[in-house]
Amino acid sequence: MKLNDVQLYRLSIAGRTSSALSLLGVATIFTTFAFSENFRSPTHRIMLINAFYNLFDFIATMISVSGPAAGDESGLCRFQGFCLQMFPVADVLWTLAMTWDVVLVVYYHYEPERLRRLEKKYLVVITTLTFVPALVFLFIKTSDKGPIYGGVVFWCSISPNWVLFRIIFYYAPIWFIIVLVFILYIVIGHEIFQLRHELMLTNNDALILSSTASPSNESIQQRTNRDDLKHLEGPLIRQQSAVSLRKFLLMPILFFLALLTTWVAPTINRIYAFRHPGQEPYPLMVAVAALGSLRGFWNGIIFVSMRSKARK
């Protein structure tokens, strides 16, 4: 779709403003994690790792329309296309990793240290799944379709000439993961509702992250009254490193909602473009440029607002 210079300029302003806010959100995550121990929960740690991936994502969106303007064969366009293929997909995979941590806590009472040991595995799997196709696409080119990475109005990504690749390696896995995360939260919510009093919840809504603590905690409940239990839970919580179940659940859910709002507009735009090539509404394009680059801003707000008071 051909846009005039004024329209392209407005698209660039929308995208770069959102990208700047997201880079500020990433910087907030780095700074807060570095200087405060109250932001070191397992979910905070995953959000920190994800912020490193987001950094390259938002650098790419900050390039904005300069990528397509440089030409499909340019290093700038190819770099932008690589980043916008790898890092947005990695973002949704880190959301799945956070959700899986919640599953492990609720169903298997994983302790923070056990969750931390999983981070290296998450890192290897997510990086491999996203880096390999993004790298391979740099070297794919045909005489009739051109290179895979090409200009798509407001940035370089998988070219419209390779629309099937864009569906298979981009939108399909992203929405599959989003739906999977949604289903997992439904299952988790049902489990918590059914077994709330059996999940080692203390009176201040803390969940003791230890599978070994369950029998002793149940026996304490059988042998003591409510006041005695409240008194005895204090040493036990400190020994087992408890976290707020409400905040442990709320933070990944908010992260998921921020992710969901990010992908609605681009997906609608892509479906519309598929059905009506070259006729995408300009306001929808502006929404894609703005919302598609704002994810890091919401992540920064969520990261700071979910303070881990239990670490005191």
Side-chain angles (χ1 to χ4, degrees), residues 120-168:
K120 292 182 179 179
K121 296 180 180 179
Y122 293 155
L123 189 64
V124 171
V125 172
I126 291 174
T127 301
T128 302
L129 289 177
T130 56
F131 175 77
V132 171
L135 180 66
V136 170
F137 290 170
L138 284 172
F139 304 98
I140 298 180
K141 176 183 177 181
T142 63
S143 56
D144 55 334
K145 292 184 178 181
I148 283 190
Y149 293 136
V152 187
V153 184
F154 26 72
W155 46 51
C156 288
S157 58
I158 296 180
S159 168
N161 295 331
W162 297 86
V163 62
L164 186 60
F165 274 64
R166 189 166 180 81
I167 293 173
I168 295 175

Side-chain angles (χ1 to χ4, degrees), residues 244-257:
S244 168
L245 178 63
R246 181 173 60 253
K247 287 193 174 183
F248 191 82
L249 286 171
L250 183 60
M251 189 172 173
I253 290 174
L254 291 176
F255 188 83
F256 168 72
L257 292 176

Side-chain angles (χ1 to χ4, degrees), residues 204-251:
N204 63 353
D205 195 36
L207 175 66
I208 301 170
L209 299 179
S210 174
S211 58
T212 60
S214 180
S216 60
N217 191 53
E218 291 176 359
S219 63
I220 289 174
Q221 290 180 7
Q222 295 173 359
R223 297 195 307 266
T224 64
N225 57 35
R226 189 178 186 86
D227 292 336
D228 292 337
L229 177 60
K230 183 177 181 180
H231 174 73
L232 290 174
E233 280 173 340
L236 185 58
I237 291 172
R238 286 192 289 271
Q239 292 173 3
Q240 300 295 340
S241 184
V243 298
S244 168
L245 178 63
R246 181 173 60 253
K247 287 193 174 183
F248 191 82
L249 286 171
L250 183 60
M251 189 172 173

Side-chain angles (χ1 to χ4, degrees), residues 251-272:
M251 189 172 173
I253 290 174
L254 291 176
F255 188 83
F256 168 72
L257 292 176
L259 182 73
L260 187 62
T261 58
T262 298
W263 286 104
V264 169
T267 303
I268 293 175
N269 182 66
R270 185 50 48 196
I271 294 173
Y272 195 97

